[in-house]
Amino acid sequence: MRVHGFSPSGNCHKVRLLLAQLGRQEGRDYRWVETDSARGQTRTPEYLAKNPNGKVPMLERDDGRVLVESNAILCWLAEGSGLLPADPWQRAQALSWMFFEQYSHEPYIAVARFICGWTPLDSPRRAGLPVLRQCGHAALAVMERHLASTPWFTGDDYGIADIALFAYTGVAPHGGIALDAYPAVRDWLARVATTPGFVPLPAPDAEAQARIDQSS
């Protein structure tokens, strides 16, 4: 199994984190193929033949079958493990948070981070940062309310909905979205970081970090 991914991407890190936590005992041996979407490596004819949407992550099985979209990959990998609830209601609850992540969270928090770190300082896209940050804070407020009464998003225990939401929440400050007003979110991030097999999201390279530092 090969996973094509861009290491600084939260969407890609979701898959790497889950695979690290499943471990070899789950039969999830894989090879990571670094694919720099910021430099056009997902737009080559070879890549587009496998994933016409031209994005990462992409999971490629040794039988040639391909699975894309980070949260779909999480669901497939976690099937049969304790990280995906077996109870249909609890599973639906976990999925609802994963849909929330892709519709109300990632489009603002992840995009603000990308603009700050991976676009030129004079990019016209930066004009959209105030709205992205406002919407990002709205998503964090929803999470804060949930976490005020329960420790996890997947159900009674840690699982894939937590992995999905952790990826970009932890680096929201890279996009100018501070976490100071969300103590329950910060405590949840700390809990995720103590789960067995946890691996952190790699830091941005020096060039991206310099842009982030100038984008507050």
Side-chain angles (χ1 to χ4, degrees):
M1 185 168 65
R2 292 172 298 283
V3 176
H4 302 256
F6 181 42
S7 291
S9 160
N11 280 328
C12 297
H13 188 69
K14 296 174 191 177
V15 179
R16 176 174 266 169
L17 174 55
L18 175 58
L19 284 165
Q21 296 194 307
L22 287 173
R24 291 182 179 273
Q25 70 273 19
E26 297 285 348
R28 294 293 189 248
D29 292 342
Y30 75 100
R31 179 167 63 89
W32 182 268
V33 181
E34 188 67 22
T35 307
D36 191 341
S37 53
R39 299 184 185 277
Q41 292 179 3
T42 61
R43 309 304 302 179
T44 65
E46 294 79 12
Y47 193 90
L48 291 171
K50 297 174 181 178
N51 179 8
N53 201 26
K55 294 182 179 180
V56 283
M58 177 177 74
L59 184 149
E60 187 177 10
R61 291 172 40 136
D62 57 8
D63 62 6
R65 286 188 286 176
V66 166
L67 183 60
V68 298
E69 298 298 333
S70 59
N71 287 350
I73 295 171
L74 294 187
C75 287
W76 181 74
L77 287 172
E79 185 67 48
S81 78
L83 295 172
L84 178 63
D87 176 78
W89 179 257
Q90 289 299 328
R91 179 177 291 219
Q93 292 293 323
L95 289 172
S96 75
W97 280 111
M98 296 171 79
F99 296 147
F100 166 85
E101 187 266 341
Q102 284 290 282
Y103 187 79
S104 300
H105 178 284
E106 192 268 359
Y108 308 113
I109 294 176
V111 173
R113 176 179 182 259
F114 176 81
I115 290 172
C116 288
W118 285 271
T119 66
L121 294 175
D122 60 354
S123 169
R125 294 188 67 182
R126 290 175 177 263
L129 282 171
V131 171
L132 292 172
R133 289 166 175 165
Q134 179 182 7
C135 293
H137 279 294
L140 291 170
V142 172
M143 295 170 63
E144 181 75 11
R145 286 194 294 272
H146 174 78
L147 291 167
S149 59
T150 185
W152 304 113
F153 289 100
T154 301
D156 294 335
D157 301 300
Y158 168 79
I160 60 170
D162 299 286
I163 291 173
L165 282 161
F166 175 87
Y168 281 115
T169 301
V171 291
H174 289 174
I177 302 171
L179 298 175
D180 303 47
Y182 311 105
V185 170
R186 297 198 309 273
D187 289 346
W188 165 75
L189 290 171
R191 284 194 295 276
V192 174
T194 65
T195 54
F198 174 82
V199 290
L201 180 72
D205 62 27
E207 184 178 356
Q209 187 62 57
R211 292 195 191 102
I212 288 168
D213 292 343
Q214 298 176 69
S215 300
S216 58

